[in-house]
């Protein structure tokens, strides 16, 4: 699959959203849209030349914003209620299920909160290389299992984690951690302050400030005089805290660390590796996406972690024509891609192929932007009709390519000027491109308008108002969007 | 931008009745243990080790490959092996449909899902599980026993990490790509 030579060539579709807020009116009604100083005005011009003269680009081709606003059609969505293109910035994302990326186990939403977004089963990360740890058998007789990393060969025995059973690692880790000095201290401290709070809350209900009672407990601990607060007469006497494992030598270490002024003597991380523990692996989220303006669901995945199907999937490629630059039409016809790199001043024919994904006919109008300093594009075929997509075409195509010599003659018999080829639901049109300046990445903007009749019934629950004519259930849907075609560098 | 047509010398490839195109210059051992779904292309100098199979009485397939796959030149497909409780055995390598394996890649995974694209010069470690709709970039080294979740893009050297996610339409994109690739071969 040689795609290396074609990585510079891409077709990007521009989404006219503002990112955070939806652009008012869009392009259909001809409202002036102010998006960061650039305007897109589309009047209802009947003829294409008027349209071309009045079109203004939403974004200059060499603008850096193009990366954010325009993307390939695979990344774009389409809201069929609004009949608008949606990009990943103008959709609302919401979680549709959580799963662990290691064990692919679906985690119910309630457990997500309680487990702090981590996997509760045996999924841990290696502290050295953050790879996933696996439970292996070791040679020791008591506690034969431990964690091992298959990349850096770190073993959990280095920090003293050894297990008796291969399954149910979580409670075994809890048991190990409970004997840890710091954890013991922490739990006893928590208990102490909880009892203090409980006693102070019950013993002084009349005090206006609850803090005074707690101050009483503080004073009794540190041995301060009780002359500061007046109304602490009703506090019960709380015994001072007994440290579970706190040693006086720790005090000097802590104060030393708190008073660090010079960081030269701090040892690097690798020296402290024996105390780093493996962390649990964080959960992944499956996202459902909604249109920002009408809250219609665009993407709804299946809730099972392993399923890659979607209950609802409204992708732009299923509604808007896909534009590609074909290499050649068939093995026997010549190569259509112009010679790279493009030369300034030399007019090359550029062939674009439009593919219609819908089951109804689509009428497409292509307009090039007004000539600018980078290049001049002449669109030969400005309006054409794309046949609907039928699954039968997929099977017929194999035969078409075998016998292309005879059938291309028939195809070209009734063709419009500028249409190079017409095959099933795809049409290849020709543009004449003349680069005018030497630039790093020549981008050709095109304005595409596509119209089709939508046969879908809008109101299924209004049978009484079904029209006698039957035609008003169809509606004409028009989509207008800008396409930026990148063609790589130009040379003199 | 679309896949170019590629031509091959007719005599170099064997075409089976299910539409598989296997190069004569590919190194296939143990071909009775290899199952190719239809319309799969095996490029020249690709190695498939079907002879590494579990010692057992029944006829078991050790390498199962789906439809519309493309195994690049100089790639190596080996079933993974493990010593479990003192017993050394090979486990079957299962590859789904529409999988594109780049050239010079070494695959020793336990299973690869459908609609996966693996780049060039990759190393997939033993017992890795790659789920559906993933993209493994060129030169990635996937550590043994890793699980690559669906719709992830995995890149870079050991251990390869998930760098980004693929859009939801990527299944159709990969499917069209592999069918296109076969049609134009």
């Amino acid at each position: 699959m040689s795609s290396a030579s074609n990585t510079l060539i891409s077709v990007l579709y521009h989404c006219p959203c503002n990112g955070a807020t939806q652009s008012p009116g869009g392009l259909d009604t001809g409202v002036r849209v102010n998006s960061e100083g650039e305007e897109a005005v589309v009047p209802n011009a009947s003829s294409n030349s008027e349209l071309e003269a009045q079109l203004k680009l939403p974004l200059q081709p060499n603008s850096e914003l193009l990366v954010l606003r325009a993307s390939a059609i695979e990344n774009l969505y389409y809201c069929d209620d609004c009949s608008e293109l949606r990009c990943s910035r103008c959709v609302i994302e919401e979680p549709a299920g959580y799963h662990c990326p290691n064990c692919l186990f679906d985690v119910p939403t309630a457990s997500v909160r309680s487990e702090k977004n981590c996997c509760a089963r045996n999924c841990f990360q290696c502290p050295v290389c953050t790879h996933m740890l696996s439970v292996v058998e070791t040679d020791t007789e008591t506690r034969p299992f431990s964690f091992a990393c298959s990349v850096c060969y770190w073993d959990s025995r280095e920090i003293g984690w050894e297990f008796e059973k291969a399954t149910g690692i979580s409670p075994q880790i809890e048991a190990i951690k409970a004997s840890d000095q710091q954890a013991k201290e922490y739990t006893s401290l928590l208990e102490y302050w909880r009892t203090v709070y409980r006693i102070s809350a019950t013993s002084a209900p009349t005090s206006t400030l609850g803090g005074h009672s707690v101050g009483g407990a503080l004073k009794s601990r540190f041995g301060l005089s009780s002359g500061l607060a007046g109304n602490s007469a009703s506090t019960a006497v709380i015994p001072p805290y007994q440290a579970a494992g706190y040693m006086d030598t720790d005090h000097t270490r802590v104060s030393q660390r708190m008073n660090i002024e010079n960081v030269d003597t701090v040892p690097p991380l690798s020296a402290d590796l024996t105390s780093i523990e493996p962390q649990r692996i964080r959960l992944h989220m499956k996202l459902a996406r909604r249109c920002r303006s009408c809250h219609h669901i665009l993407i709804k995945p299946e809730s099972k972690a392993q399923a890659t199907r979607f209950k609802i999937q409204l992708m732009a490629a299923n509604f808007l024509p896909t534009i590609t630059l074909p290499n050649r039409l068939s093995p026997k016809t010549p190569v259509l891609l112009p010679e790279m790199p493009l030369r300034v001043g030399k007019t090359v024919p550029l062939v674009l192929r439009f593919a219609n994904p819908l089951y109804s006919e689509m009428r497409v109008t292509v307009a090039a932007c007004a000539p600018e300093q980078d290049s001049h594009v002449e669109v030969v075929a400005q309006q054409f009709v794309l046949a609907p997509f039928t699954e039968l075409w997929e099977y017929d195509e194999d035969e078409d390519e075998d016998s292309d010599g005879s059938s291309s003659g028939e195809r070209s018999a009734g063709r419009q000027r500028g249409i190079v080829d017409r095959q099933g639901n795809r049409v290849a049109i020709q543009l004449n491109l003349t680069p005018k300046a030497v630039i790093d990445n020549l981008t050709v903007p095109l304005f595409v308008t596509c119209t089709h009749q939508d046969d879908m019934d809008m109101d299924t629950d209004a049978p009484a108002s079904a029209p006698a004519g039957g035609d008003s259930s169809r509606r004409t849907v028009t989509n207008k969007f800008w396409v930026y075609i990148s063609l790589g560098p130009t040379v003199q | 931008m679309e896949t170019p047509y590629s031509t091959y010398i007719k005599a170099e490839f064997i075409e089976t009745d299910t539409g598989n195109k296997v190069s004569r210059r590919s190194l296939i051992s143990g071909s009775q243990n290899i199952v190719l779904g239809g319309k799969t292309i095996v490029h020249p100098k690709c190695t498939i080790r079907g002879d590494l199979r579990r010692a057992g009485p029944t006829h078991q397939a050790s390498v199962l490959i789906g439809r519309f796959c493309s195994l690049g030149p100089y790639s190596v497909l080996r079933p993974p092996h493990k010593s479990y409780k003192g017993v050394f055995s090979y486990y079957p390598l299962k590859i789904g449909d529409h999988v594109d394996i780049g050239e010079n890649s070494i695959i020793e995974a336990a299973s690869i899902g459908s609609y996966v694209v693996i780049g060039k010069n990759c190393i997939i470690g033993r017992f890795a599980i790659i789920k559906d709709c993933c993209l493994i970039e060129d030169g990635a080294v996937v550590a043994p026993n890793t699980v690559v979740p669906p719709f992830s893009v995995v890149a870079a050297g050991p251990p390869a990490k998930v760098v980004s996610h693929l859009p939801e339409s990527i299944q159709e994109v990969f499917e069209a790509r592999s069918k296109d690739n076969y049609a134009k071969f």
Side-chain angles (χ1 to χ4, degrees), chain A residues 179-246:
Chain A
S179 58
D180 179 26
Q181 196 71 277
Q182 287 187 347
K184 269 195 209 161
E185 190 72 54
Y186 180 67
T187 42
S188 65
L189 264 174
L190 259 182
E191 272 310 305
Y192 175 70
W193 287 112
R194 278 205 187 110
T195 48
V196 165
Y197 181 70
R198 221 179 11 248
I199 290 170
S200 65
T202 54
S203 70
T206 56
S207 72
T208 51
L209 287 173
H212 274 287
S213 313
V214 178
L218 267 176
K219 278 184 254 140
S220 67
R221 177 168 175 3
F222 290 112
L224 292 173
S225 65
S226 56
L228 289 172
N231 51 348
S232 55
S234 54
T235 55
V237 175
I238 298 154
Y241 176 68
Q242 296 288 344
Y246 186 72

Side-chain angles (χ1 to χ4, degrees), chain A residues 397-442:
Chain A
E397 266 201 61
D398 293 336
E399 300 167 15
D400 260 353
E401 280 163 18
D402 289 340
S403 62
D404 53 348
S406 54
S407 48
S408 62
E410 295 165 21
R411 284 199 287 265
S412 62
R415 76 175 174 187
Q416 202 178 322
R417 186 179 150 259
I419 292 187
V420 173
D421 182 50
R422 190 184 279 275
Q423 247 185 1
N425 64 330
R426 306 187 297 179
V427 162
I429 64 163
Q430 178 172 328
L431 284 80
N432 293 327
L433 171 72
T434 316
K436 279 188 182 166
V438 179
I439 47 174
D440 281 339
N441 196 5
L442 176 66

